[in-house]
């Protein structure tokens, strides 16, 4: 693994998660210069080689990926509930701190507006995140900076969450029956029109016709709080799977990653829980679908856009977060984040409500 480079990197490392020294601007990926794209990709690769400052067993990049996996553990919460958006905002800040350490200067995570084809073309270009996978190669990504052989996946959940345990990026767009295409601009505007942040019962069954979080996260027709399978919280589909669908954030994950039946060349280690609930026996998932989704660096641009739309909703609904108190732990405004609290100065939901105070904005 590779260490930090030079005094500038060490200085930034000491302050990367402290008070912001300047306002970072998260741009649309289509507006990045060639130099900005090159610096961003280089910083991500450097994070993959750098030892984690938090433990001795993983690279810096893989440590952050492991936090996303850990928060899916049964009894912990970062999804399928109100904390979804603030938790991922805090994770993004920690990732940008890692980019700063790797680059020796601040780097913002650009956003991917999947409703704009030019933004999609830019994020999937060979000089940035690379393309979708090749069907003849079981959807392995074969070109770009993160192609097979150049980017190894080492963090995995159990086979019921990640049946194939791929060691390289897999993107199988449109192969999941619940996400045949990307969300539209109308879907985005519909999300912004939702009148409340969230409402009881604060879980998968919150009304997506009312709840911004529920509709923007993208659970439609699912039931209850989730089910524990092999130590991982999975969505509860209910008895009638024909009623379920995924929207917005979830739809992008499932569209890009996909669910497909691989060739005999792919070793499958178990049955994917959600795929089996949908009647897709033997299906495997692309990299960005399981709890270890940040293994695909495209994850960060997806979530930068998720955060951007939440910030827009917040402009119309200042102090709109719910529940403020009285809800289940850790969903209340002053509750501490599962997994992330020990690593970040932003330890509570309240602490990440205002992006201006956090030192960044969207172009």
């Amino acid at each position: 693994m590779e260490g930090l480079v030079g005094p500038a990197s060490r200085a930034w490392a000491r302050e990367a998660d402290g008070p912001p020294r300047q306002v970072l601007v998260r741009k649309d990926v289509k507006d990045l210069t060639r130099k900005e794209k090159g610096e961003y990709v280089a910083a991500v690769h450097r994070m993959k080689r750098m030892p984690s400052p938090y433990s001795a067993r993983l690279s810096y990049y893989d440590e952050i990926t492991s936090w996303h996996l850990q928060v899916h553990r049964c009894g912990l919460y970062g999804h399928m509930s109100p904390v979804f958006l603030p938790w991922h905002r805090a994770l993004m800040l920690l990732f940008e701190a890692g980019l700063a350490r790797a680059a020796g200067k601040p780097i913002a995570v650009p956003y991917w507006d999947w409703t704009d084809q030019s933004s999609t073309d830019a994020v999937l270009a060979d000089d940035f995140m690379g393309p979708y996978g090749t069907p003849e190669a079981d959807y392995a990504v074969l070109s770009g900076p993160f192609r097979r052989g150049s980017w190894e996946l080492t963090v995995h959940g159990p086979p019921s969450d990640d049946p194939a345990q791929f060691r390289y990026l897999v993107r199988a767009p449109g192969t999941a029956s619940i996400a045949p295409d990307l969300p539209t601009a109308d879907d985005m505007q519909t999300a912004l029109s939702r009148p409340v942040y969230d409402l009881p019962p604060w879980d998968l069954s919150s009304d997506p016709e009312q709840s911004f979080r529920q509709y923007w996260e993208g659970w439609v027709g699912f039931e209850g709080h989730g089910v524990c399978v092999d130590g991982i919280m999975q969505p509860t589909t209910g008895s009638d799977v024909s009623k379920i669908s995924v929207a917005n954030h979830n739809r992008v994950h499932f569209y890009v990653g996909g669910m497909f039946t691989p060739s005999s060349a792919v070793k499958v280690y178990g049955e994917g829980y959600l795929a089996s609930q949908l009647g897709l026996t033997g299906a495997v998932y692309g990299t960005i679908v399981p709890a270890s989704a940040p293994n695909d660096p495209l994850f960060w641009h997806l979530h930068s856009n998720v955060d951007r739309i939440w910030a827009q909703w917040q402009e119309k609904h200042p102090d709109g977060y719910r529940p403020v108190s009285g809800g289940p732990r850790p969903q209340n405004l002053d509750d501490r984040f599962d997994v992330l609290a020990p690593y970040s100065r932003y330890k509570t939901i309240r602490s990440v409500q205002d992006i201006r105070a956090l030192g960044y904005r969207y172009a």
Side-chain angles (χ1 to χ4, degrees), residues 297-348:
L298 187 58
F299 172 95
W300 302 106
H301 311 295
L302 187 170
H303 273 274
S304 188
N305 197 47
V306 168
D307 185 75
R308 179 178 74 99
I309 300 304
W310 179 30
Q312 288 185 19
W313 187 90
Q314 288 180 302
E315 289 177 3
K316 297 192 298 181
H317 304 275
D319 302 318
Y321 182 87
R322 298 293 183 273
V324 174
S325 61
R329 194 214 70 84
Q331 314 302 330
N332 303 287
L333 194 58
D334 289 308
D335 287 347
R336 289 167 62 91
F337 290 125
D338 282 340
V339 179
L340 298 183
Y343 308 110
S344 174
R345 68 185 298 260
Y346 306 111
K347 299 182 182 301
T348 67

Side-chain angles (χ1 to χ4, degrees), residues 34-46:
R34 179 178 299 180
K35 179 182 179 182
E36 286 171 332
K37 288 187 284 188
E39 288 178 342
Y40 183 92
V41 168
V44 172
H45 270 286
R46 191 176 293 277

Side-chain angles (χ1 to χ4, degrees), residues 168-180:
Y168 48 83
L169 282 188
V170 171
R171 298 173 183 157
T175 58
S177 59
I178 56 175

Side-chain angles (χ1 to χ4, degrees), residues 43 50 53 66-67 79 86 96 140 149-150 159 165-166 170 172 186 201 205 235 244 252 280 332 348-350:
M50 288 169 57
S66 78
W67 295 339
H79 301 78
E96 283 182 331
S150 296
Q165 309 275 299
F166 288 112
V170 171
D186 285 345
S205 53
I244 70 170
V252 181
L280 302 174
N332 303 287
T348 67
I349 293 171
R350 186 189 296 275

Side-chain angles (χ1 to χ4, degrees), residues 22-72:
Q22 67 182 72
V23 176
L24 287 181
V25 179
R26 295 180 182 173
K27 298 181 179 181
D28 189 319
V29 292
K30 70 180 183 181
D31 296 324
L32 296 179
T33 66
R34 179 178 299 180
K35 179 182 179 182
E36 286 171 332
K37 288 187 284 188
E39 288 178 342
Y40 183 92
V41 168
V44 172
H45 270 286
R46 191 176 293 277
M47 281 185 69
K48 187 73 166 174
R49 300 191 301 268
M50 288 169 57
S52 168
Y54 305 104
S55 71
R57 62 188 184 88
L58 293 171
S59 76
Y60 202 158
Y61 190 97
D62 288 345
E63 183 85 65
I64 294 176
T65 299
S66 78
W67 295 339
H68 193 266
L69 172 60
Q70 289 174 44
V71 85
H72 281 77

Side-chain angles (χ1 to χ4, degrees), residues 132-133 138-140 170-176 179 254-260 284-287:
Y132 292 136
D138 287 302
Y139 296 100
V170 171
R171 298 173 183 157
T175 58
F254 282 104
Y255 174 80
V256 172
M259 293 183 188
F260 64 98
V284 299
Y285 312 145
T287 306

Side-chain angles (χ1 to χ4, degrees), residues 86 89-90 93 310 337 346 348-354 358:
R89 180 172 283 178
L93 292 168
W310 179 30
F337 290 125
Y346 306 111
T348 67
I349 293 171
R350 186 189 296 275
S351 71
V352 297
Q353 291 297 303
D354 183 357
L358 298 172

